Amino acid sequence: MSCQKRRRMSEKYSRTEASIPTQVLKEGEDDSSLATTAKIRLTLQEESLISTILNAIDYLQKGKIDGYAARPVVVRIAGGWVRDKLLNRSTHDVDIVIDCLSGVDFAKILQTYLKQTVPNEVKRIGVIAANPNQSKHLETATMVVK
């Protein structure tokens, strides 16, 4: 996704409501027959978090993060947060999926961005190691962003 598209996406989702295309298909149905849209209401904290993530990606794409080459990055919100928001439930845990970086690298990029822009908001990164014996195949990073 280009920086310009991401900026447009940021503007689109910088409101308190976001629309997410969803589809449910029955066996044998053509996917063009069931296009619907679900609305998700964002809290101010969620709006701020998404904006922070998009701004950190812009910094990376502009080459402003030392130690990381400028590159396009696609970030998606996934997991229970999406389910809970669709069900109008309160949720405080947002899972982020990144297409071309490890979770630890992305957390470091986010941490560096915060150090450069909001020094008092820098938080510690927690790392949960991969453990294939317990079906945990990817290393995961955790970070509190307020």
Side-chain angles (χ1 to χ4, degrees), residues 27-72:
E27 192 171 321
E29 281 187 322
D30 182 326
D31 65 353
S32 64
S33 65
L34 291 176
T36 61
T37 301
K39 296 204 184 238
I40 289 181
R41 295 191 187 280
L42 302 176
T43 66
L44 291 176
Q45 285 180 318
E46 292 162 344
E47 198 176 320
S48 177
L49 174 65
I50 291 168
S51 177
T52 298
I53 290 167
L54 293 174
N55 289 336
I57 291 168
D58 280 346
Y59 257 60
L60 174 66
Q61 290 177 337
K62 292 174 182 173
K64 294 182 177 181
I65 307 287
D66 290 338
Y68 293 93
R71 65 171 85 169

Side-chain angles (χ1 to χ4, degrees), residues 5-17:
K5 277 186 179 178
R6 183 165 288 110
R7 201 169 280 120
R8 271 188 265 135
M9 185 175 85
S10 175
E11 290 166 7
K12 180 179 177 183
Y13 292 106
S14 66
R15 302 178 191 116
T16 57
E17 189 173 278

Side-chain angles (χ1 to χ4, degrees), residues 32-140:
S32 64
S33 65
L34 291 176
T36 61
T37 301
K39 296 204 184 238
I40 289 181
R41 295 191 187 280
L42 302 176
T43 66
L44 291 176
Q45 285 180 318
E46 292 162 344
E47 198 176 320
S48 177
L49 174 65
I50 291 168
S51 177
T52 298
I53 290 167
L54 293 174
N55 289 336
I57 291 168
D58 280 346
Y59 257 60
L60 174 66
Q61 290 177 337
K62 292 174 182 173
K64 294 182 177 181
I65 307 287
D66 290 338
Y68 293 93
R71 65 171 85 169
V73 177
V74 176
V75 174
R76 293 181 174 91
I77 298 175
W81 182 88
V82 175
R83 177 202 61 227
D84 290 345
K85 294 303 281 187
L86 288 170
L87 295 172
N88 291 319
R89 294 180 184 164
S90 177
T91 183
H92 302 289
D93 177 37
V94 179
D95 297 320
I96 307 292
V97 179
I98 303 102
D99 71 335
C100 62
L101 295 164
S102 73
V104 174
D105 282 338
F106 184 72
K108 288 177 182 176
I109 288 166
L110 189 57
Q111 185 181 52
T112 300
Y113 166 76
L114 289 170
K115 280 181 186 175
Q116 292 176 2
T117 59
V118 193
N120 295 333
E121 291 297 318
V122 177
K123 301 297 179 189
R124 183 179 63 84
I125 298 170
V127 178
I128 303 165
N131 187 347
N133 294 333
Q134 294 183 349
S135 296
K136 173 105 176 74
H137 299 284
L138 297 174
E139 179 179 67
T140 306

